């Protein structure tokens, strides 16, 4: 999924949600960094879902929904 | 049948399967076959299961010989050209009816169902089953599958009991899994699920569900209960958990999904091949759960091109 406003790309991967940030706009970058900090998104762009032996122990859909809301609320 | 043949022979409406059935009728008249209604039913079932594969023009001599064996000899022992999975299913049905003749009406009604089309490979036909249990399962089947409005809950309840899908491994490491239709009213995905060789997992899950529905006196509210009970006892969340919890993930029109070994990378196909657009059920469910408008996503959301197995991109 690519967000219209920011062109942020969101993918579902084995470990969680993979976020790719293509934009350079300073304001948007600040918003992006804020969301990343809240969701502990690491440098590689991975928003990891807690897992045990490769199986989720937290609901990745609920996490993805919150992540999406936060991106949209941040104007991204 | 003869009138239809006179009217339609040579046209697309008249198929080779029709020719086989007309041949069976003529043979029964010539040979004065005693058990013809049952034999005709068997030939109809075999023809239905063999359309598109075993029934081909160049195989007609062998198929006509099979019809002769069934009508004249009253035996399926030498039937080799029709679909062999269906031959096996016909033998299982015959063994069940030999033990429990009173089940004939219930069994025939199942055979005549438009989703089953003569194939009962998804049913437990073990002759040791009690007649009442079989009849209750048959009634529960009709209560569920004659009511497309309940199919979204039906697929959720089936998955809550177990992975009942027919599977086909792909060279990419993914597998195709067919679950039947949930959101669409199309019967074809269910027909594809129920036909073919016997799949023990499908039989076990379907029979378990039918027993639970029968125990609830065919009250379909039990479908919700089955799903909720499953979700409550889950301590980890594999793909099946998400499919049960989020109805949006079961919206695929074809009922076919390409699933990675981990289960966290899935293509929800609206058609049966990967070379068509697909949706990512996890992303779709996340968007639905978020309450955010779908317009935030750039087109072609929610579709992704299906030329490679890389869902969610």
């Amino acid at each position: 999924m690519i967000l219209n406003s920011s062109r942020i790309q969101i993918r579902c991967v084995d470990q969680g949600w993979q976020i790719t940030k293509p934009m350079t706009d300073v304001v948007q970058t600040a918003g992006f960094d804020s969301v990343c900090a809240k969701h502990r998104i690491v440098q590689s762009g991975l928003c990891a879902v807690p897992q045990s032996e490769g199986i989720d122990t937290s609901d990745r859909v609920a996490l993805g929904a919150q992540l999406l809301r936060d991106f949209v609320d941040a104007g991204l | 049948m003869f009138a239809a043949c006179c009217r339609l022979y040579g046209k697309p409406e008249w198929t080779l399967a029709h020719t086989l059935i007309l041949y069976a009728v003529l043979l029964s008249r010539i040979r004065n076959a005693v058990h013809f209604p049952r034999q005709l039913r068997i030939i109809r079932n075999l023809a239905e299961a063999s359309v598109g594969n075993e029934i081909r023009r160049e195989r007609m001599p062998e198929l006509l010989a099979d019809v002769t064996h069934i009508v004249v000899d009253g035996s399926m022992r030498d039937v080799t050209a029709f679909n062999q999975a269906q031959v096996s299913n016909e033998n299982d049905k015959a063994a069940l009816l030999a033990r429990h003749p009173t089940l004939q009406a219930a069994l025939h009604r199942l055979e005549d169902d438009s989703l089953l089309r003569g194939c009962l490979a998804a049913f437990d036909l073990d002759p040791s089953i009690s007649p009442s249990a079989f009849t209750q399962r048959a009634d529960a089947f009709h209560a569920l599958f004659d009511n497309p409005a309940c199919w979204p809950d039906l697929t959720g309840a089936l998955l809550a009991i177990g992975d009942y899908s027919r599977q086909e491994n792909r060279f990419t490491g993914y597998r195709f899994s067919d679950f039947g239709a949930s959101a669409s009213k199309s019967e074809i995905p269910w027909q594809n699920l129920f036909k073919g060789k016997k799949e023990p997992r499908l039989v076990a899950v379907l029979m378990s569900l039918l027993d639970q529905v029968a125990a609830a006196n065919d009250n379909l509210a039990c479908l919700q209960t089955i799903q909720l009970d499953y979700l409550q006892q889950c301590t980890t969340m594999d793909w099946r958990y998400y499919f049960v919890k989020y109805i949006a993930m079961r919206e695929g029109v074809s009922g076919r999904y390409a699933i990675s070994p981990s289960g966290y990378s899935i293509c929800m196909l609206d058609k049966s091949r990967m070379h068509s657009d697909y949706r990512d059920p996890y992303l779709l469910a996340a968007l639905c759960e978020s309450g955010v408008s779908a317009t935030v996503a750039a087109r072609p959301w929610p579709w992704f091109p299906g030329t490679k197995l890389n869902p969610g991109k």
Side-chain angles (χ1 to χ4, degrees), chain B residues 25-235:
Chain B
V25 173
L26 294 175
L27 263 184
S28 76
R29 294 297 177 98
I30 294 167
R31 302 298 185 96
N32 201 20
V34 178
H35 302 293
F36 187 63
R38 179 64 199 152
Q39 291 161 345
L40 180 61
R41 181 174 278 277
I42 290 170
I43 291 166
R44 180 204 64 174
N45 296 343
L46 291 172
E48 190 65 52
S50 305
V51 167
N53 290 310
E54 288 83 0
I55 296 182
R56 297 194 298 271
R57 187 166 298 279
E58 65 272 20
R59 300 189 81 221
M60 284 302 275
E62 292 87 351
L63 291 161
L64 291 167
D66 279 358
V67 172
T68 305
H69 288 311
I70 294 167
V71 176
V72 177
D73 305 335
S75 165
M76 284 197 291
R77 195 176 51 219
D78 297 321
V79 173
T80 56
F82 278 111
N83 180 281
Q84 291 302 293
Q86 187 62 30
V87 170
S88 174
N89 191 232
E90 293 302 323
N91 285 326
D92 289 345
K93 286 186 250 179
L96 178 68
L97 287 180
R99 177 85 170 267
H100 303 296
T102 56
L103 289 180
Q104 181 171 287
L107 189 135
H108 286 180
R109 189 176 170 218
L110 283 173
E111 285 185 330
D112 294 342
D113 188 277
S114 61
L115 302 184
L116 296 171
R117 300 170 77 96
C119 180
L120 303 189
F123 273 75
D124 178 5
L125 300 175
D126 189 327
S128 66
I129 192 173
S130 77
S132 62
F134 185 87
T135 305
Q136 285 172 356
R137 285 175 176 175
D139 290 343
F141 181 89
H142 295 300
L144 288 168
F145 288 93
D146 290 353
N147 180 11
C150 82
W151 289 357
D153 274 333
L154 168 60
T155 50
L158 283 167
L159 276 168
I161 295 169
D163 179 6
Y164 61 95
S165 62
R166 279 194 186 274
Q167 297 177 5
E168 178 191 336
N169 289 325
R170 310 293 291 173
F171 64 91
T172 53
Y174 279 63
R175 67 177 185 276
F176 277 153
S177 287
D178 289 307
F179 294 105
S182 182
S184 78
K185 301 288 187 286
S186 172
E187 295 187 336
I188 293 171
W190 291 113
Q191 292 168 354
N192 290 337
L193 179 67
F194 292 139
K195 74 180 182 185
K197 67 176 183 174
K198 191 173 186 174
E199 291 282 357
R201 287 179 306 112
L202 170 60
V203 176
V205 171
L206 180 62
M207 295 305 103
S208 174
L209 178 71
L210 296 181
D211 287 343
Q212 293 182 61
V213 172
N217 295 318
D218 293 349
N219 181 348
L220 302 188
C222 73
L223 299 176
Q224 289 270 350
T225 310
I226 292 167
Q227 294 174 80
L228 290 172
D229 288 349
Y230 165 74
L231 292 173
Q232 283 175 358
Q233 57 94 26
C234 281
T235 53

Side-chain angles (χ1 to χ4, degrees), chain A residues 1-4 7 9-14 17 51 54-62 64-65 68-69 72, chain B residues 236-238 241-242 245-246 262 264 280 282-283 285-287 289-290 292 295-298 301 304 310 312-313:
Chain A
M1 172 195 285
I2 298 172
L3 299 182
N4 266 321
R7 309 308 292 176
Q9 192 178 82
I10 306 171
R11 294 176 60 201
C12 184
V13 297
D14 285 356
W17 297 100
Q51 292 184 326
I55 307 293
D56 292 357
T57 54
S58 287
D59 188 324
R60 71 168 57 211
V61 170
L68 195 53
R69 273 194 298 270
V72 172
Chain B
T236 56
M237 295 148 189
D238 63 4
Y241 170 90
Y242 292 112
K245 184 170 182 182
Y246 298 105
S262 71
Y264 294 126
D280 180 328
Y282 287 107
L283 272 171
L287 183 74
E289 281 297 296
S290 72
V292 169
T295 56
V296 302
W301 172 262
F304 301 98
N310 196 9
K313 200 166 184 180

Side-chain angles (χ1 to χ4, degrees), chain A residues 21-49:
Chain A
K21 182 191 72 164
M23 82 299 191
T24 54
D25 181 277
V26 175
V27 176
Q28 286 198 330
T29 299
F32 180 81
D33 290 344
S34 168
V35 175
C36 286
K38 178 181 176 184
H39 289 276
R40 298 180 182 176
I41 295 172
V42 296
Q43 191 67 34
S44 67
L46 178 67
C47 178
V49 175

